[in-house]
Amino acid sequence: MTDLTISRRSLLKTTAAGAALGLAGVPAFSTRARAAATTVGFIYVGPKDDFGYNQAHAEGAKALKAMEGIELVEEENVPETVDVQKTMESMINLDGASLLFPTSFGYYDPHVLAMAKKFPDAQFRHCGGLWDKSKHPMNAGSYFGYIAMGQYLNGVVAGHMSKSKKIGFVAAKPIPQVLNNVNAFLLGARAVDPTITCQVIFTGEWSLAVKEAEAVNALVDQGADVITCHVDGPKVVVQTAANRGAFVCGYHASQAPLAPEKYLTGAEWNWATVYSMYAKHALAGEPLPNFTRGGLSDGFVKMSPLGPAVTEPARKQFEATLAEIKKGGYAVIKGPLKDNKGKEIAGAGKAFPETAIELESTSFLVEGVLGSTS
Amino acid sequence: MEDIGLWGVPLAILGGAIRVSTPFIFVSLGEAVTERSGRINLGLEGTLVFGAMAAYAVAVETGSPWFGVLAAMAAGAGFGLVHGWICSFPRVNDIAVGIALMLFGIGLAFFFGKPYIQPSAPPLPAIGFGDWSDIPQVRAALNVNVLFLFGAALALALWWGFKNTKIGLIVRVVGDSADSARAMGLSPTTVRLFATAFGGALAAIGGAYLSLYYPGSWNERISSGQGLMAVALVIFARWNPIGCFAAAMLFGGAGALGPALQSVGVTQGYYLFYAAPYILTLLIMIATSSPGRQLAGAPGELSITK
């Protein structure tokens, strides 16, 4: 059950583990009282080793494996359809899961909501921030992280490493969260050199391997020499950029193993913080928070270790900025600031820290970003 | 890197045509052979994805991308044989079997491909036709993979072969009139079985190109429907192998248009640019169709034309 898509390689392993689980179910052989264990279910929309969104969640789930009293069930490649309801139902009924993390954005409405109504004793926490106290069941909830600050730090390193003063961003869709990341990446670079520009290319889909590769080629052809992205699986972007000789900054999880020489740093989710917090509450029998958010300073987001190519001045400014951010309250979007059509976003003295509610409906690209949202 | 400005657009279209077209070339050539024999195999998308997985897995295990391509061809031929075998029974609909095999191929590729998402496979070699140039962008655009060249040669060979060889004649006769073929002492079922297997092997090479060269990694969403589009390209190309090659190039180039235009600052309406290949196909289909006559060049035995 932990792994529906059984590979040849792991078949033996899984069978062995299955046998062990079977034994654990028999009271005489059980090392842990079954009643005391909390079973936690994780559901992923893609493979959990995709070097991206799903891997970030799976790494967070792994942190729970070490916790006493927690049983983990996971399922990959669950589409955002009624399939995810079936998965949740079987995790609750067959595996005895009492806490579920359906991690993909599209799982929430209507699937998580329907299951939360159907199983009032189980707890559902969904990644994305969609939970609304006035409308949604109290056994559901949302958690999310502010990762734009990570892209800002990516930008700081990119600003130092770019020789052409042109950096590139491969983006999926022009939604607020993606636009915040693009803006932060450019503003980070501009904190180093205010003449830097960032070219953004929207592919229109969260996962479109060939178009992502084409986008990287087009960016490099136009002179961009540091590339980052916001797509579900950054693997293709990182590999293509490194092959073309450009530096890359990662996203979601660490892609350093794919391009050890060209990888500078990356904005990674640190979901272990969130998941172990929920697990501790669940084990202690306390109510789980319905709404959780945090950024770099809360340990929800982390940076990949700096790569070997990063120069000393870049390292210094990166570390200084990181220390500043960790104090809390740091604002990337602050006045005077214009968007790339010349309209004023923030007047002098006005600042939007990452927690600002305005940033959840961002629809602009800041001055210096070459691109358009439609 | 030099600033090439607007020259980036034609260069990207050329480079994109070369980079992106190869899977289209192989799948459409394979399908052209199958359809010329009078059968439609809609399952090539599944064959393509399975070929991508098989090539990647074998390349990881053996360290040689060429063994990967061979493995993909064998697997693709296997899928083709299954399709041909099932369709050899009376009153079996080849389109329905194709759709079933497409889903089967994709599912099987996910099943076996799980452990190969993380490892890196050795890529297929490319030849630098742009090495004469000092401009890095030109060198990158003209970095041509050997499979692309093989595909171009194969298109020519098939075009010549259909006209001038006995095998070509046999395939065409079976595709145009099964009765005439039987009168000549040929077995349409056997010919179609091999034609479908051949088509499957070619489609799987297209998959190998995806996973071993461009974009060059295996994951479950590596193909965004290239296999299905290539089947449509065959009709667009009127079952002519040279036409398949040209249509694939056109599709590849048009696909590169969206990112390239955004990179030079034409950013409004990029969704429309992404639709360019499909709009182009629609326009050409409308321009060349006629209510009065059958599709020119269509094999007479195809279930869609009967």
Side-chain angles (χ1 to χ4, degrees):
Chain A
M1 190 58 227
T2 49
D3 207 344
L4 267 195
T5 47
I6 306 161
S7 64
R8 282 171 305 166
R9 270 179 172 177
S10 63
L11 185 63
L12 279 176
K13 230 166 43 188
T14 316
T15 321
L21 269 178
L23 287 180
V26 181
F29 292 98
S30 179
T31 49
R32 198 149 65 193
R34 183 87 176 157
T38 301
T39 303
V40 183
F42 282 88
I43 305 167
Y44 313 107
V45 74
K48 60 181 183 179
D49 40 11
D50 64 351
F51 280 106
Y53 186 85
N54 297 299
Q55 181 170 329
H57 283 288
E59 282 172 5
K62 220 183 278 170
L64 300 191
K65 271 190 190 144
M67 290 176 77
E68 184 68 30
I70 295 283
E71 297 265 3
L72 207 60
V73 286
E74 295 173 284
E75 191 171 326
E76 304 167 81
N77 297 322
V78 181
E80 293 170 334
T81 61
V82 75
D83 281 0
V84 70
Q85 298 195 23
K86 289 181 193 151
T87 299
M88 286 189 267
E89 206 159 349
S90 82
M91 280 181 169
I92 294 168
N93 285 336
L94 302 178
D95 303 302
S98 55
L99 172 57
L100 289 173
F101 294 106
T103 57
S104 186
F105 192 79
Y107 288 158
Y108 190 70
D109 193 5
H111 310 298
V112 168
L113 292 176
M115 288 296 110
K117 285 198 190 93
K118 189 169 179 185
F119 297 100
D121 294 335
Q123 292 289 330
F124 300 80
R125 292 296 177 272
H126 174 256
C127 182
L130 293 174
W131 185 78
D132 184 340
K133 193 174 181 178
S134 60
K135 285 188 271 184
H136 298 153
M138 287 306 286
N139 62 332
S142 296
Y143 57 95
F144 206 62
Y146 303 112
I147 202 170
M149 214 62 97
Q151 281 290 7
Y152 182 77
L153 285 165
N154 275 350
V156 169
V157 178
H160 277 280
M161 301 304 295
S162 174
K163 287 197 179 73
S164 64
K165 303 297 167 202
K166 206 167 170 191
I167 56 181
F169 201 114
V170 180
K173 299 184 182 199
I175 62 166
Q177 209 209 350
V178 175
L179 298 178
N180 283 335
N181 281 334
V182 177
N183 291 338
F185 185 57
L186 182 267
L187 290 172
R190 286 212 159 175
V192 178
D193 180 343
T195 64
I196 289 178
T197 56
C198 175
Q199 179 79 53
V200 58
I201 291 185
F202 292 99
T203 62
E205 276 303 331
W206 292 109
S207 180
L208 214 52
V210 173
K211 196 140 279 167
E212 286 159 16
E214 276 302 299
V216 172
N217 276 314
L219 288 170
V220 175
D221 281 345
Q222 286 300 320
D225 57 358
V226 187
I227 309 280
T228 191
C229 64
H230 184 166
V231 294
D232 265 359
K235 189 179 181 187
V236 166
V237 170
V238 169
Q239 285 179 328
T240 313
N243 281 343
R244 288 293 306 268
F247 287 118
V248 277
C249 294
Y251 189 66
H252 284 317
S254 174
Q255 291 90 33
L258 296 172
E261 299 299 314
K262 293 291 180 184
Y263 193 80
L264 299 176
T265 181
E268 298 179 38
W269 299 106
N270 191 19
W271 294 125
T273 313
V274 183
Y275 292 143
S276 33
M277 178 274 290
Y278 278 126
K280 273 181 203 137
H281 281 302
L283 284 175
E286 296 161 1
L288 308 180
N290 287 95
F291 205 77
T292 315
R293 275 163 194 232
L296 264 170
S297 48
D298 315 281
F300 281 38
V301 172
K302 63 183 177 188
M303 299 303 294
S304 317
L306 294 177
V310 176
T311 56
E312 201 44 44
R315 175 184 302 275
K316 274 199 186 125
Q317 191 169 350
F318 171 87
E319 279 164 1
T321 316
L322 181 60
E324 197 64 34
I325 290 170
K326 284 200 167 161
K327 283 183 201 160
Y330 196 89
V332 166
I333 304 284
K334 57 175 188 278
L337 188 66
K338 283 182 179 157
D339 72 9
N340 66 358
K341 292 180 187 124
K343 207 175 119 231
E344 187 174 78
I345 299 162
K350 180 102 175 101
F352 298 103
E354 62 184 357
T355 50
I357 193 79
E358 290 89 342
L359 295 183
E360 292 182 19
S361 52
T362 301
S363 61
F364 56 82
L365 291 163
V366 297
E367 188 180 8
V369 177
L370 313 174
S372 128
T373 55
S374 60
Chain B
M1 186 88 33
E2 282 171 62
D3 188 10
I4 55 167
L6 287 176
W7 280 106
V9 177
L11 197 63
I13 293 174
L14 174 70
I18 295 171
R19 283 189 298 257
V20 182
S21 64
T22 309
F24 292 124
I25 294 175
F26 280 98
V27 180
S28 61
L29 287 179
E31 183 67 9
V33 173
T34 307
E35 291 192 11
R36 275 286 182 102
S37 80
R39 197 165 270 160
I40 294 175
N41 182 2
L42 274 189
L44 291 186
E45 170 78 5
T47 312
L48 179 92
V49 174
F50 193 86
M53 189 285 298
Y56 201 77
V58 170
V60 168
E61 297 295 343
T62 63
S64 158
W66 293 111
F67 280 122
V69 176
L70 285 179
M73 285 176 74
F79 272 97
L81 284 174
V82 171
H83 184 277
W85 176 68
I86 298 175
C87 290
S88 67
F89 295 106
R91 289 186 299 284
V92 171
N93 182 306
D94 52 354
I95 292 178
V97 173
I99 292 172
L101 276 179
M102 171 170 80
L103 298 174
F104 179 65
I106 295 173
L108 212 59
F110 289 7
F111 183 77
F112 288 117
K114 196 81 204 68
Y116 297 103
I117 295 175
Q118 289 251 330
S120 282
L124 286 164
I127 301 171
F129 281 102
D131 287 352
W132 48 269
S133 168
D134 299 331
I135 306 169
Q137 288 94 329
V138 174
R139 279 210 295 271
L142 292 180
N143 211 16
V144 177
N145 185 269
V146 283
L147 280 185
F148 173 81
L149 301 174
F150 177 57
L154 190 68
L156 270 175
L158 285 176
W159 173 76
W160 182 84
F162 272 133
K163 280 189 168 168
N164 299 307
T165 65
K166 193 175 172 201
I167 299 176
L169 186 68
I170 291 174
V171 171
R172 280 194 296 148
V173 127
V174 168
D176 275 331
S177 165
D179 290 338
S180 320
R182 281 195 204 94
M184 287 167 68
L186 295 167
S187 157
T189 313
T190 314
V191 173
R192 286 174 189 163
L193 184 72
F194 286 113
T196 316
F198 183 77
L202 288 191
I205 299 180
Y209 177 88
L210 280 178
S211 67
L212 290 178
Y213 186 68
Y214 193 78
S217 76
W218 158 247
N219 68 56
E220 301 173 347
R221 281 173 275 180
I222 187 83
S223 158
S224 36
Q226 276 104 329
L228 278 174
M229 280 188 268
V231 174
L233 285 186
V234 177
I235 302 172
F236 177 48
R238 298 283 182 266
W239 295 271
N240 175 350
I242 302 276
C244 288
F245 180 80
M249 289 287 282
L250 196 69
F251 239 66
L257 192 66
L261 283 176
Q262 283 192 63
S263 78
V264 296
V266 184
T267 52
Q268 290 289 342
Y270 55 85
Y271 280 104
L272 278 179
F273 300 133
Y274 285 153
Y278 313 103
I279 295 172
L280 203 67
T281 310
L282 275 177
L283 288 180
I284 297 179
M285 289 294 230
I286 293 167
T288 56
S289 71
S290 151
R293 60 183 159 81
Q294 215 186 28
L295 281 178
E301 285 285 319
L302 278 190
S303 49
I304 50 164
T305 54
K306 263 203 271 201

